Amino acid sequence: MATGAELTCDTGATATEMANAIFGDGVTVVSASYAGWSRSSAIYSNGQLAPGVVPSDTGVILSTGDVRSFTQSGGDPNRSSSTTTDTSGPNKNSLFNDIAGTNTYDASWLEVSFIPTGDTMTMQFVFASE
């Protein structure tokens, strides 16, 4: 199991700031909106301290819980089966329910409209779960 370091998380980041953190240079963000609990999203930094856990030194975390629970204060990943957060994120989103084949809870999503400056675009994503 990977051992992560404590990531620095800016849970006050706006949707536009998160979109710009994801896309960086070569993309113009036209609009961005976030739906979910305010502590279920963040721009993280110090990713270099958690190699193999996050894809880059900085990025965005979207969670169904509190993003600060991604790693514990000692730097170890959350290994507890009882760590949970009942958030104010949307429940039973019909699109998510259709994809999951069941009811979903505590949703957190970022919707972005953007214009790339070139004809090729690549992105790195990590999907993870306890």
Side-chain angles (χ1 to χ4, degrees), residues 56-128:
S56 61
D57 293 347
T58 62
V60 173
I61 294 177
L62 300 175
S63 174
T64 59
D66 189 330
V67 296
R68 294 171 298 178
S69 296
F70 176 72
T71 59
Q72 306 303 310
S73 60
D76 287 337
N78 176 8
R79 294 185 177 122
S80 172
S81 62
S82 63
T83 298
T84 187
T85 305
D86 186 15
T87 78
S88 60
N91 293 328
K92 301 179 184 175
N93 176 283
S94 61
L95 178 61
F96 294 159
N97 289 351
D98 289 346
I99 293 168
T102 189
N103 287 333
T104 57
Y105 301 93
D106 304 324
S108 172
W109 75 87
L110 180 66
E111 186 172 333
V112 182
S113 295
F114 61 93
I115 301 169
T117 58
D119 61 359
T120 303
M121 187 173 147
T122 62
M123 295 178 73
Q124 283 186 306
F125 286 94
V126 174
F127 293 96

